[in-house]
Amino acid sequence: MNKIIKIVLIVIGLIAAFLWFSLPSQDDPDAINSGAMNFMFVIMYILLAIAVVAALFFGLAKLFTTPGSIKKALFALGGLAIIVAISYGLSSTEEAEAVVKVFEDRTSSDLKTTVGTVKNIGMGLNVFFILTVIAVLLMVLPGLKKMFVK
């Protein structure tokens, strides 16, 4: 099986190299519609689909075969849900209303912005910041612990 995968990857690499050298010049106004570029996108989508299916298959297989992993996964999902709920609570409705008012005053009527949309964007930013702080702490604290506790 491993030899077959290597052969398939070599063939895909050779096809991609051939397509790379078949691309039209950047001065060509119709370069985006070239067959070589379209086929490169097809290859990219196929490889992306294979990667997603493999990641899901092996991840779920490991999840269901390792004892205690489902419990850990549920705790992680619960923690993420708590962080999302806290972030949604931190995103203020008053600030969202102010942003909507400023946005509507400065733009055309084609773009509709609602308080809910602005609040969801604020929630997403808060989730990102909280998870970033947690990740940095999880990287720094063990190093500090090793430095001071011997």
Side-chain angles (χ1 to χ4, degrees):
M1 182 70 174
N2 201 10
K3 287 183 181 182
I4 295 171
I5 292 174
K6 285 183 180 180
I7 291 170
V8 169
L9 289 175
I10 289 170
V11 169
I12 290 173
L14 290 173
I15 291 171
F18 173 75
L19 291 172
W20 177 263
F21 291 111
S22 301
L23 288 174
S25 97
Q26 64 184 11
D27 299 333
D28 185 7
D30 201 37
I32 194 70
N33 295 324
S34 74
M37 184 158 316
N38 288 336
F39 197 64
M40 286 180 87
F41 278 116
V42 169
I43 290 174
M44 185 227 14
Y45 288 131
I46 290 171
L47 291 176
L48 181 63
I50 291 170
V52 167
V53 168
L56 285 174
F57 174 75
F58 290 114
L60 291 175
K62 180 83 170 176
L63 180 71
F64 291 121
T65 57
T66 307
S69 61
I70 294 177
K71 183 179 176 183
K72 288 180 184 179
L74 289 175
F75 276 126
L77 288 174
L80 182 63
I82 289 171
I83 290 173
V84 168
I86 290 170
S87 297
Y88 190 76
L90 289 176
S91 60
S92 154
T93 305
E94 294 85 25
E95 289 176 6
E97 289 171 354
V99 168
V100 168
K101 182 172 179 357
V102 168
F103 189 79
E104 287 176 350
D105 290 345
R106 293 186 182 176
T107 60
S108 67
S109 61
D110 296 339
L111 300 173
K112 297 294 180 195
T113 305
T114 64
V115 173
T117 303
V118 175
K119 192 163 174 152
N120 286 340
I121 291 170
M123 177 201 62
L125 290 170
N126 289 336
V127 167
F128 173 75
F129 294 139
I130 291 171
L131 291 178
T132 301
V133 168
I134 290 171
V136 168
L137 287 175
L138 288 175
M139 288 187 289
V140 170
L141 290 179
L144 291 175
K145 185 177 178 183
K146 279 185 182 179
M147 283 175 44
F148 294 115
V149 178
K150 288 187 180 184

